């Protein structure tokens, strides 16, 4: 700890020394034109069930394979005594398997099963957990009993509850257990504690305290981390899982709604995508389905932006055209899109609106955006997108439709798709870039010359990939510099979402990621703080910040953008110094508004070195903090240390 602070201090000190005698940079912030409006959807989040982001992550269910539907029915469970899988007279038609516990016949032995959770089950001292199970016995007048235990990582039972099961009808039984310990690698054990057999299905355990306390809810700390980003838009559910390796395994939203027990399991393609990160137990329970997604979007104040399959299986992974829907057979896919819009927005009497209302949300979710296709390319994509656009616009003329520019941010395929998107009149085009630090720095000017007549841009997936693929300060700084270009061009760039969002530290497939977590804790990456600094300082209009009348786009490693916020009558300037030297900067404040300044402040993001990263053990190593700032003679006088991101806010009197 001492070393870390010393290093940080040393770097500031050295920067200050270096700054001595350097030529000033003279920037100008003008109050003149409060430029184009910044889109209300500008900074958002993109969620995909990758890295155990949903099951084992945001979705607060603690039991793995709760319905015994994994291809190996007992995966995630350890059994003892007499345990069998059956599917006769099931409780749930779409998830028919259940487990039967019977007396082993030897009085000194018992029957039961343990669940290992997702890399263990995390329990917190004094927190309450809701255990539930659907159960029956083998006869109308027969009763039985089960005992539920929490088992600590030391293998000792630490809490228990008993449930009596009566009769041969499937009934849901619940019990609340309180944990006396904090331990992230516990198990849940269920014993048959009387001689009569019981059948059990949908065995579930949730913390009682979830985000907004919904029973089928989200892990509170992770959802709060999303809410703290104040995201404007929420892209979901992918990413590649929208596409499926074959069309049959694509994300099927209709399987994700209705009673949670009856949502059929789906494959998760991230189970096997990388052979060095193979996770045979990675499936999608769809417990976090489209209803939960719309609700969460509403609760964190983000516009939902669902992505639907366009009739193409993943073009990287599928076998070829045999895994694509023929163009004349797209109707079921188009219907999926139309029905989803009705599920979100239809009134209570419409077929799909009725289901939403029954699930607890009679009011529409007011969906305004929909994306068709993820990372598609080639002629096979526009020819499929076209009938979707026609059908959606015919029925919902105001719906904004997003098309894809493919997996690369440049090149022949990219140019081809952009020209097609213009032709098809897509409202927005989704660009993806996972690129090097050099690329991110060079692309701060990317949108300066984009046509203003085109569809708007959605930077739907991006992250700076350093050679070690870490969420380190270098990657965050380059993203911050790049984002000045998004902000300066907010008249054409309407949305931007970093990717991926979540990663379980024991179960990741892809990095870097915005938020890392284990079974009890989370860490916000430095990249998270960059996103947050932009989102919390979004403003309402683009403002002009220049050097020698030109935008500040990397000369001597300096990047800048500015916004005006009409609600607070403030100007907000973001400056990134990526160079190896401190830079003395004067930002002159041009215009009458700056005659009456009410207050000002400066927030800085700095790190001991470029490879620094926040970890679960040291989550706050690099986080925004206030630094001093002076305004003299209508100018901000500042010295920016080497490698830092500063946000200046100047509030004018109304
Ligand atoms: O974000 C991870 C993956 O990257 C997404 O699923 C896909 O769209 C992209 O290739």
């Amino acid at each position: 700890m001492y070393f870390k602070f010393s290093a940080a201090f040393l770097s500031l000190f050295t920067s200050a020394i270096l700054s001595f005698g350097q030529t000033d940079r003279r920037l100008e912030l003008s109050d003149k034109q409060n430029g184009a409006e910044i889109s209300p959807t500008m900074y958002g989040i993109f969620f995909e069930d990758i890295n155990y982001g949903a099951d084992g992550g945001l979705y607060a269910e603690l039991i793995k394979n709760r319905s015994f539907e994994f291809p190996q029915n007992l995966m995630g469970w350890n059994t003892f005594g007499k345990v069998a899988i059956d599917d006769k007279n099931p409780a749930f038609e779409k998830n028919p398997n259940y487990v039967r516990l019977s007396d082993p016949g030897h009085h000194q032995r018992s029957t039961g099963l343990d669940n290992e959770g997702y890399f263990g089950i995390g329990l917190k001292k004094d927190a309450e957990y809701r255990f539930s199970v659907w159960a029956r016995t083998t006869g109308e007048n027969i009763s039985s009993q089960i005992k539920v235990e929490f088992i600590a990582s030391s293998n000792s039972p630490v809490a228990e509850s008993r449930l009596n099961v009566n009769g041969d009808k499937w009934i849901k039984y619940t019990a609340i257990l309180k944990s006396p310990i904090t331990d992230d690698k516990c198990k849940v054990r269920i014993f048959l504690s009387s001689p009569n057999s019981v059948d059990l299905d949908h065995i579930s355990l949730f913390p009682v305290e979830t985000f907004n306390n919904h029973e089928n809810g989200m892990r509170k700390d992770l959802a709060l981390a999303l809410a703290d980003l104040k995201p404007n838009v929420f892209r979901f559910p992918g990413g590649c899982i929208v596409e499926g390796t074959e069309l049959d395994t694509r994300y099927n939203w209709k399987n994700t709604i209705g009673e949670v027990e009856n949502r059929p399991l789906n494959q998760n393609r991230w189970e096997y995508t990388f052979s060095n990160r193979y996770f045979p137990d990675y499936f999608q329970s769809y417990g976090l389905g489209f209803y939960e997604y719309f609700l969460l979007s509403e609760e964190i104040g983000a516009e939902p932006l669902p992505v639907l399959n366009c009739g193409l299986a993943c073009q990287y992974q599928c076998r070829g055209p045999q895994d694509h829907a023929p163009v004349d057979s797209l109707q079921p896919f188009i219907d999926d899109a139309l029905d989803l819009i009705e599920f979100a927005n239809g009134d209570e009497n419409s077929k799909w609106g009725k289901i939403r209302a029954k699930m607890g949300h009679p009011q529409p979710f007011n969906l305004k955006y929909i994306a068709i296709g993820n990372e598609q390319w080639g002629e096979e994509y526009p020819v499929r997108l076209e009938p979707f656009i026609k059908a959606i616009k015919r029925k919902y003329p105001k719906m904004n439709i997003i098309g894809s520019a493919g997996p690369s941010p440049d090149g022949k395929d990219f140019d081809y798709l952009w020209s097609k998107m213009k032709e098809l009149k897509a409202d927005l085009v989704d660009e993806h870039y996972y690129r090097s630090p050099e690329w991110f720095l060079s692309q701060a000017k990317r949108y300066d010359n984009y046509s203003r007549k085109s569809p708007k841009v959605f930077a739907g997936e991006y992250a700076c990939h350093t050679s070690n693929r870490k969420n380190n300060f270098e990657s965050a700084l380059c993203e911050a510099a790049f984002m000045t270009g998004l902000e300066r061009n907010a008249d054409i760039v309407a949305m931007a979402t970093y990717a991926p969002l979540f990663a379980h530290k024991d179960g990741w497939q892809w990095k870097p990621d915005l938020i890392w977590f284990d079974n009890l804790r989370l860490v916000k990456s430095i990249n998270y703080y960059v996103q947050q600094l932009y989102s919390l300082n979004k403003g309402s209009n683009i403002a002009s910040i220049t050097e020698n009348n030109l935008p500040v786009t990397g000369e001597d490693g300096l990047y800048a953008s500015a916004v005006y916020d009409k609600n607070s009558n403030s100007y907000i300037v973001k400056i990134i110094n990526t160079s190896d030297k401190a830079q003395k900067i004067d930002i002159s404040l041009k215009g009458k508004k700056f005659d009456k300044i009410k207050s000002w402040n400066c927030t800085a993001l700095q790190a001991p070195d470029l490879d620094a990263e926040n970890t679960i053990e040291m989550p706050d190593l690099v986080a925004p903090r206030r630094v001093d700032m002076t305004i003299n003679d209508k100018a901000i006088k500042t010295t920016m240390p080497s490698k830092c991101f500063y946000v200046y806010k100047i509030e004018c009197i109304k």
Side-chain angles (χ1 to χ4, degrees), residues 558-575:
L558 207 67
Y559 298 80
S561 59
V563 296
Y564 169 67
D565 180 40
K566 64 179 175 209
N567 297 321
S568 59
N569 200 26
S570 303
Y571 286 82
I572 306 168
V573 178
K574 303 182 182 81
I575 308 191

Side-chain angles (χ1 to χ4, degrees), residues 52 64 251 267 272 300 374 400 402 436 440 486 489 498:
Y52 287 82
K64 183 166 71 190
Y251 191 100
Q267 189 187 86
Y272 51 78
I300 62 177
N374 174 42
N400 295 289
I402 297 159
S436 67
F440 268 83
L486 301 183
N489 291 286
Y498 181 98

Side-chain angles (χ1 to χ4, degrees), residues 393-548:
K393 289 284 183 185
R394 199 177 308 124
K395 197 157 179 199
Y396 302 104
K398 289 199 181 136
M399 187 60 57
N400 295 289
I401 303 179
I402 297 159
S404 165
S408 300
D410 45 39
K412 236 172 76 203
D413 285 339
F414 176 84
D415 293 342
Y416 165 75
L417 284 179
W418 253 104
S419 70
K420 283 299 193 186
M421 293 308 118
K422 288 179 189 170
E423 216 176 286
L424 296 176
K425 296 197 170 47
D427 296 292
L428 292 113
V429 178
D430 180 8
E431 298 187 352
H432 291 182
Y433 18 88
Y434 298 102
R435 293 287 163 120
S436 67
E438 297 72 33
W439 187 93
F440 268 83
L441 295 182
S442 72
Q443 295 293 307
K445 299 180 201 149
R446 178 179 180 86
Y447 297 110
D448 291 0
N449 298 316
Y450 259 48
S451 156
R452 267 42 197 174
K453 287 197 195 111
S454 302
K456 300 226 173 193
V457 174
F458 171 30
E461 291 185 26
Y462 67 95
C464 173
H465 284 188
T466 58
S467 51
N468 55 17
R469 301 266 303 240
K470 279 196 195 170
N471 282 102
N472 61 15
F473 185 55
E474 182 183 11
S475 64
L477 201 63
C478 293
E479 285 154 10
F482 170 77
M483 289 173 80
T484 57
L486 301 183
E487 190 164 90
R488 188 174 47 255
N489 291 286
D491 57 323
I492 180 82
V493 181
M495 305 174 173
T497 55
Y498 181 98
L501 186 55
F502 282 122
H504 193 297
K505 86 173 196 351
D506 298 329
W508 59 270
Q509 295 84 44
W510 179 297
K511 59 181 187 164
D513 305 287
L514 209 60
I515 300 166
W516 287 78
F517 59 91
D518 64 14
N519 286 343
L520 293 175
R521 299 166 298 173
L522 66 81
V523 52
K524 296 169 175 171
S525 65
I526 313 177
N527 314 72
Y528 173 100
Y529 288 119
V530 167
Q531 293 295 318
Q532 193 182 45
L533 283 171
Y534 270 89
S535 151
L536 298 186
N537 295 290
K538 177 164 77 85
S540 53
N541 299 73
I542 307 170
S544 155
I545 184 153
T546 52
E547 184 177 33
N548 303 322

Side-chain angles (χ1 to χ4, degrees), residues 46 48 50-51 235 237-243 269-270 274 316 374-375 407 430 432 434 460-462 465 498-501 510 512-513:
F46 159 50
E48 176 170 22
I50 182 173
N51 304 321
R235 180 177 185 248
C240 292
I241 67 168
V242 164
E243 300 161 42
R269 55 147 295 143
W270 297 109
F274 302 112
Y316 284 116
N374 174 42
E375 285 183 344
D430 180 8
H432 291 182
Y434 298 102
E461 291 185 26
Y462 67 95
H465 284 188
Y498 181 98
L501 186 55
W510 179 297
D513 305 287

Side-chain angles (χ1 to χ4, degrees), residues 123-152:
L123 299 178
K124 277 192 187 149
K125 186 168 170 10
D126 295 334
E128 291 185 321
Y129 295 85
R130 182 178 292 109
F131 173 87
S132 67
V133 60
W134 287 80
R136 68 176 178 194
T137 67
T138 48
E140 199 180 340
N141 300 316
I142 296 178
S143 295
S144 187
Q145 191 186 63
I146 57 169
K147 181 169 78 165
V148 184
E149 285 184 346
F150 287 166
I151 310 290

Side-chain angles (χ1 to χ4, degrees), residues 358-387:
K358 200 170 157 214
M359 290 182 76
H361 204 284
Q363 294 308 314
F365 282 116
N366 199 14
L367 178 69
K368 302 185 189 88
Y369 301 91
I370 192 163
I372 305 297
N374 174 42
E375 285 183 344
Q376 322 304 158
W377 66 79
E379 288 176 0
E380 47 272 64
Y381 175 51
V383 78
R384 286 173 175 77
L385 180 61
E386 188 172 6

